[in-house]
Amino acid sequence: MSQSADHQFLEVYDWACERIASTAARLDGSETFPHVTDDGRWRTWRADIYAGWDGDQWSHGNWTCGFWVGLLWLAYLRTQEPRFAQWARSFGELVAPRQLDENTHDIGFVFYPSFALGSWAANDDVLKGPALGAARTLVARFNPRGRYLQAWGPLDHPLARGSTAIDTMMNLPLLWWATRETGDARFAEIARAHAETSARYYLRPDGSTYHTYSFDPESGRGIGGGTYQGASSESSWSRGVTWGIAGWALAYREHKDPLFLEAAERAAEYFVGAVPGDLVPPWDFADTSTMPPQDSSATAICANGFLVLETVHPDPLKRSYYRALAEAMLASLCHGYIGRGQEEREEGLLLHSAYSVPHGDGVDSSVMWGDWFFLRAIAHLTIGPVPVP
Ligand code: GLY
């Protein structure tokens, strides 16, 4: 990377730390966490909203609170200012009880940016406890017949027992981390089994991916692909493709099984071939309208996956290729997709993401995971490898 690119990313990192401080100061004591923006302002919610039924509607619970704590740790890593560590700890205390949330795969998302990263950033073993607790809760969702982690719902719910999602691929890092920390291979074995099942069922011949896949929980038989946030069952929800790229890249890093490298690269090839010139995809590749809602968070996730491929790919030319693409993606995001200079109107870091277009939720918004994956990649490029995930 050229010195000027490095300098540009560092400037963005410093700007991001100021934005994070401003949001943290505003929310300090409120016991609420930023989730997605509405008209540029963070919509906030409590961390103790567990996944569950809300009437006859399924609620995913607060699955984004850990990314906020993770952002505070990323700001601490850059600035070394104690206030960021104090905020990360005080918001983290509100997150910790969620380690017992039995109803969602999302506790991987909740606990590795917050407590697994926090224990490393603060050099504090005590912070490992909640993340290990969450890893134990997560592996209880493993169905050994189908070799998958159940995505949603209570473990005994007849409809939910066969549910899986591509998103789970990026909940797996908590399990790889847990094996490294404890020496207990079971966490990583379950992560590996789930990643294999995903590579088998989710990838289509053209490298695009399903968002969801249903299984018969008794026999383990795969039933069929579908979607929750995509345009249709057979369409390619762009963020889902990037959950797959990043997750399979990490699975290859952990297990060195060529199956995972091939899966990551097939999905990557599809994404790179389908994405427009500024490397930010429409929310779903099937939306060919003139100005479809975009999802910049997918680009941020993809850049993280490519930074993994850069370090683990056996071919040096491919390593350079993925590094160059990751840098180009981040440069594009820094150039046209951040709220720098728009601080009066935009509280988030990364603009123009989409949580769920079919549900009309968080469209053309900042989203907490987008900010996290964006800044995590910037941190990786500027201050050095971030070991989590
Ligand atoms: N549930 C994760 C996502 O919306 O991508």
Side-chain angles (χ1 to χ4, degrees):
M1 187 166 53
S2 73
Q3 270 193 340
S4 71
D6 189 33
H7 180 68
Q8 185 196 43
F9 289 141
L10 269 175
E11 273 186 5
V12 169
Y13 201 164
D14 289 338
W15 163 80
C17 292
E18 282 172 28
R19 299 303 296 146
I20 292 164
S22 150
T23 300
R26 183 168 80 71
L27 296 182
D28 198 356
S30 72
E31 301 199 351
T32 63
F33 291 66
H35 174 48
V36 301
T37 59
D38 297 312
D39 297 324
R41 299 278 161 240
W42 284 117
R43 189 195 313 163
T44 59
W45 55 342
R46 295 176 60 86
D48 60 3
I49 299 177
Y50 285 64
W53 298 107
D54 182 4
D56 57 359
Q57 288 286 327
W58 175 251
S59 158
H60 294 284
N62 187 337
W63 64 278
T64 54
C65 52
F67 294 120
W68 170 238
V69 180
L71 271 182
L72 290 162
W73 284 122
L74 290 178
Y76 175 67
L77 285 173
R78 169 69 181 144
T79 63
Q80 293 296 307
E81 289 176 23
R83 63 179 176 156
F84 285 111
Q86 281 155 12
W87 276 320
R89 285 176 184 277
S90 60
F91 280 101
E93 270 175 32
L94 301 167
V95 171
R98 290 287 304 286
Q99 67 188 280
L100 299 176
D101 189 342
E102 296 175 334
N103 287 346
T104 177
H105 64 149
D106 282 330
I107 55 172
F109 282 143
V110 173
F111 280 90
Y112 67 75
S114 53
F115 284 91
L117 176 65
S119 66
W120 175 77
N123 194 20
D124 181 353
D125 282 354
V126 173
L127 294 177
K128 292 177 182 171
L132 291 173
R136 283 190 283 273
T137 305
L138 183 53
V139 291
R141 302 184 70 74
F142 186 62
N143 180 315
R145 294 170 296 281
R147 294 168 55 77
Y148 62 81
L149 284 159
Q150 179 184 327
W152 299 300
L155 296 174
D156 59 359
H157 191 282
L159 288 178
R161 287 175 66 217
S163 70
T164 70
I166 190 78
D167 324 21
T168 309
M169 283 304 303
M170 281 303 280
N171 281 279
L172 302 182
L174 182 71
L175 302 184
W176 290 311
W177 172 86
T179 284
R180 278 199 294 283
E181 291 299 327
T182 61
D184 181 348
R186 192 173 130 77
F187 296 108
E189 281 165 7
I190 285 176
R192 180 179 189 153
H194 181 91
E196 282 172 7
T197 303
S198 293
R200 177 170 168 205
Y201 287 100
Y202 275 85
L203 264 176
R204 302 191 187 103
D206 66 355
S208 66
T209 55
Y210 287 110
H211 178 196
T212 61
Y213 210 94
S214 301
F215 289 83
D216 175 345
E218 298 305 333
S219 67
R221 185 179 58 85
I223 296 172
T227 198
Y228 180 72
Q229 282 148 279
S232 74
S233 295
E234 293 303 322
S235 73
S236 292
W237 176 55
S238 58
R239 188 161 70 253
V241 180
T242 63
W243 289 137
I245 293 169
W248 286 313
L250 284 164
Y252 180 69
R253 183 182 81 183
E254 298 296 325
H255 302 291
K256 297 292 176 294
D257 184 335
L259 169 79
F260 298 133
L261 182 61
E262 192 193 323
E265 290 206 275
R266 278 181 54 201
E269 197 177 330
Y270 171 82
F271 187 84
V272 171
V275 76
D278 68 357
L279 303 173
V280 175
W283 67 284
D284 190 300
F285 287 111
D287 185 345
T288 53
S289 59
T290 326
M291 298 273 285
Q294 295 171 287
D295 189 2
S296 58
S297 77
T299 304
I301 295 161
C302 190
N304 280 274
F306 285 179
L307 289 172
V308 175
L309 291 175
E310 183 227 346
T311 59
V312 299
H313 203 293
D315 179 347
L317 286 177
K318 284 292 193 78
R319 289 204 287 270
S320 307
Y321 167 76
Y322 287 117
R323 169 73 182 215
L325 271 172
E327 286 184 19
M329 287 178 164
L330 292 165
S332 175
L333 293 179
C334 289
H335 179 70
Y337 290 86
I338 59 174
R340 203 171 168 198
Q342 304 174 53
E343 289 78 7
E344 293 299 312
R345 273 185 292 128
E346 298 288 349
E347 288 190 318
L349 306 180
L350 191 60
L351 312 181
H352 310 308
S353 294
Y355 178 22
S356 182
V357 172
H359 300 88
D361 191 359
V363 180
D364 198 11
S365 295
S366 297
V367 297
M368 192 32 66
W369 64 93
D371 281 11
W372 151 262
F373 282 106
F374 170 65
L375 202 61
R376 191 203 169 280
I378 294 283
H380 182 101
L381 286 185
T382 51
I383 60 173
V386 178
V388 179

